[in-house]
Structures are given as structure tokens and as C-alpha cells.
DNA sequence: CGGGAAAGTTTGTGATCACATAAGCTCATG
DNA sequence: CATGAGCTTATGTGATCACAAACTTTCCCG
């Protein structure tokens, strides 16, 4: 999810087991679970690797993010008090720091933390779980993306999100979230 | 997914294995995968059972169905030719027959087939997979619902969906799908 | 007659193993 | 130098087992 692995990276059950000090059995269960969620892909012969997404699949997952996260943000809006907004701002500073440090994994991690912190207020666990499943599928691809583009400025749309939350502006919030979510992936596709 | 099991029904790995003529190992993998998708729930001690959803969770899953399936229908609309509409109408007759036969499982199965047939045209496999994950989570609950209410009339909104497809009426289609998807579950909540 | 402790049973977990297959490598050949 | 056949290695699969924890049943005592 955090882009620690590149797309197409191969894994083995014995390797995973050794890495975590267990046998193949728990490694297999973890792999099968992640494969069921789309976070890993299994070849026809059962080999395990991180997925290499096609352009179409990336666009579809971006559309899913927009669909789910706009709804989550909208549901969080009436419950978003000042303490939450403060936390979002502080997380956003961490995001900006990761940008200057060119730390792709740190950037993805803190960026997702920003979103999750907001969505937790929506009180919609099933919806949040679905959004996280999409994040999981996009993890390696996001790594490839943010490793490619050389950003220097902190995320613009995060400030719009915070502003819309402060103003209680639901249409503005929906637009800001949708833009933030689709912006990055749009660059990858071109 | 098809409501063959009641909510809260317990399962054992050995029992599943025996039922399918395999050992515990493949049974475990299947159970863990289904649990990851929310189709089964694992107790803290690892016991397996179908989920018993709370009212809040049912409402949330209904909202998710609406969100995802409205989008899928909308994407399918421009590709929906006469052959598809014919197929939908024939599936819809099967649905009506299941209603008169009071066959809950058959009803759920053919009803979902109706929706899946339409959504396949959307060419959005990740989105369809998410919708099916929601169906999977709702399976046992739907069984309990359709076992409770004694319907006699065939699904009204399916005809609206077909009519909107014929007319190329996107707003009408969105409304019809949203109504169809939320209608049944609304009854359960009250 | 009720309740709880103890014995017995069921159940999930993780490890290990044999096996079949896929992947990688070596080496001879054109 | 490229190429492919044959061999070696690596890898996933499913079965089985020992163990610990949880659940069920039994039985005894208040």
C-alpha cells in the first residue's frame, strides 16, 4: 500500500516465511488474502508478484477512488470539528516534508494518512475498507509514479480540502477530493 | 452470495474439507480469502461463520451498492444494444418465476445475474469486482430478508431499468438502479 | 433443582513433507 | 555467437500431524 515494492516484483512463500520467521503456511494465507484483495497477483502457476497495472486498470481504480472518497469526505464533513482540521494540517506538513525529502514511500504513507484521518470521521467502515483496498492495489503503481515525477511543491488540493472543511462547503469539498485523488494518477497515464 | 446460508451459520475447516473432498489446507485458504472479502467472519478464536450484519452495516452496504452500481449502469448504457436488452428481459422472466415459486435462493441468484449482465457491459472489471464483494457480504442477510417478506409481484424497478436502457435515458437509469438496489434492503431495516 | 467445575471433544494454527511443475542454467551444436 | 535440448534448482500444492485453546457435556455438590 505504501509503495515499498515496485510493480511486478516477485515474491516466494518460502522467502516471505523466512523474512517473518514463520513457515510457508502463514505466508501462504497472507498471500492468498492479499491476492483476493488485488494487492498481489498470482500467475497461472501460482507464482506471486505485485501487480503491473494496465493504463485502463489505473484509470478505473482512479475513478473508484474518486467515487468512494468523495462520498466518504462528504459524510465526514458534518462531523469535522476543529480538532480534526488541526490534525489534518499537521499531517499535511508531514506530507510537504516528504516532498522536499523526495521520499516516495514517506510521501505515499503520509498522504494516505491524511485521507484516512478525514474518512474515519465518516463512520462508514465498509466504505473505508473498500477505499483502502483500492489503495492497496495502487501501492506499487504509486511508487512508480511518484518516483518518476519530480515534484517540489506540497500538495495543492489538500489545502483546498482543508479550506472546504473549514467553510462547511460540501460541493467545494467534493471537487477538491476528486481533484486530489485523480490528479496524480492522471499524470501517469499520459 | 446467493443466500444459501443463513446469517450466523457456523462452519468448520474440517467440515468444509470433507464436503469438497480435500484436506484442511485448501479449506483454510478459501475461508481466509472469503473472510478478507467480508463474506465470512472470523471470531477472535478463529471460528468461522457467516456474518450477522448490524442495521448500520446493512445501510452502509446498500449505500455502497447504490454508489457502485449506478456508476456501472451509467457506463454500460452507451454500450447497451438490443441483444443485451433482450437478455435482460429474459433473465427478468426467470426472476419473476422465482418470485412466484417463493424460491429465495433462486430469486437472489437470478436477480444478481440481471445486474451482472448489465454491468459486464461497463467494461470496468475492478468496479464490478467491488460490487460483487458487496453482494458477497450481503448474501446471508438477503436470504433472511427475502425469506421474511412475502412478495408476489415481480421486480418493478427492473422494468424501469430496461425502459431507461431502451430510451437511452441516463438520469432515469441512474434513478431506477438506485431505487432497485436500495428498495429491498430498506424494508429489512424498518 | 440449579450451577459450576472438570473431563472430554472439537477446532484452528503452524510446521513439515512428498510431489509435480515451472523456471533457470549449462553446454553442446549449428 | 546464438539457440535449444536436457538437467538442475526453485517453487507452489495439498496432506498430515502435534499442540493449544475453546467449546460442550457430564456430573457432583449446594
Amino acid at each position: 500500500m505504501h509503495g515499498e515494492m515496485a510493480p511486478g516484483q516477485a515474491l516466494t512463500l518460502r522467502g516471505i516465511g523466512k523474512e517473518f520467521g514463520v513457515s510457508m503456511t502463514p505466508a501462504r494465507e497472507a498471500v492468498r488474502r492479499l491476492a483476493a484483495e488485488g494487492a498481489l497477483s498470482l500467475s497461472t502457476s501460482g507464482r506471486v508478484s505485485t501487480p503491473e497495472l494496465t493504463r485502463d486498470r489505473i484509470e478505473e481504480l482512479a475513478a473508484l477512488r474518486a467515487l468512494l472518497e468523495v462520498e466518504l469526505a462528504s459524510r465526514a464533513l458534518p462531523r469535522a470539528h476543529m480538532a480534526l482540521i488541526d490534525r489534518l494540517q499537521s499531517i499535511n506538513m508531514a506530507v510537504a516534508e516528504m516532498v522536499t525529502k523526495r521520499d516516495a514511500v514517506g510521501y505515499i504513507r503520509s498522504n494516505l494518512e491524511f485521507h484516512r484521518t478525514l474518512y474515519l470521521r465518516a463512520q462508514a467502515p465498509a466504505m473505508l475498507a473498500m477505499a483502502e483496498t483500492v489503495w492497496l492495489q495502487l501501492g506499487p503503481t504509486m511508487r512508480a509514479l511518484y518516483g518518476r515525477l519530480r515534484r517540489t511543491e506540497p500538495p495543492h488540493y489538500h489545502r483546498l480540502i482543508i479550506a472546504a472543511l473549514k467553510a462547511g462547503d460540501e460541493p467545494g469539498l467534493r471537487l477538491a477530493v476528486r481533484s486530489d485523488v485523480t490528479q496524480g494518477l492522471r499524470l501517469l497515464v499520459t
Side-chain angles (χ1 to χ4, degrees), chain A:
Chain A
M1 181 186 285
H2 296 145
E4 286 161 27
M5 311 185 63
Q9 186 164 136
L11 294 169
T12 66
L13 299 185
R14 287 174 176 84
I16 296 169
K18 191 167 292 179
E19 185 177 344
F20 294 94
V22 296
S23 77
M24 294 171 60
T25 312
R28 256 163 79 183
E29 284 178 13
V31 162
R32 303 300 278 250
R33 172 181 169 179
L34 288 167
E37 295 180 287
L40 291 175
S41 65
L42 301 181
S43 80
T44 56
S45 68
R47 303 300 236 261
V48 189
S49 64
T50 54
E52 295 183 281
L53 303 182
T54 63
R55 187 192 332 281
D56 279 356
R57 178 57 68 113
I58 294 170
E59 280 173 7
E60 202 192 332
L61 290 173
L64 265 172
R65 279 199 67 179
L67 209 59
L68 294 170
E69 298 188 29
V70 163
E71 177 72 17
L72 281 163
S74 171
R75 289 179 180 227
L77 177 57
R79 306 175 197 260
H81 301 319
M82 208 53 208
L84 175 69
I85 295 176
D86 285 347
R87 268 196 74 197
L88 290 177
Q89 269 169 330
S90 112
I91 295 173
N92 207 25
M93 290 179 62
V95 176
E97 189 191 334
M98 295 300 167
V99 169
T100 64
K101 290 199 329 198
R102 300 235 189 292
D103 177 351
V105 171
Y107 172 73
I108 295 172
R109 190 197 312 271
S110 52
N111 181 44
L112 293 184
E113 192 190 344
F114 180 90
H115 286 267
R116 186 178 3 238
T117 301
L118 173 57
Y119 305 152
L120 269 173
R121 273 300 199 291
Q123 304 279 46
M127 222 172 267
L128 179 55
M130 294 236 134
E132 291 189 311
T133 295
V134 179
W135 297 350
L136 216 44
Q137 295 182 46
L138 283 171
T141 299
M142 280 173 147
R143 175 201 186 87
L145 167 61
Y146 294 121
R148 185 176 313 175
L149 74 86
R150 288 273 159 250
R151 293 184 47 162
T152 52
E153 80 271 9
H156 172 57
Y157 289 116
H158 281 198
R159 308 180 76 144
L160 290 184
I161 290 171
I162 290 172
L165 284 172
K166 276 184 181 162
D169 170 16
E170 205 218 331
L173 179 63
R174 296 179 86 97
L175 180 62
V177 169
R178 167 175 294 267
S179 306
D180 183 58
V181 154
T182 42
Q183 151 243 358
L185 293 167
R186 205 185 306 279
L187 296 181
L188 185 56
V189 177
T190 59

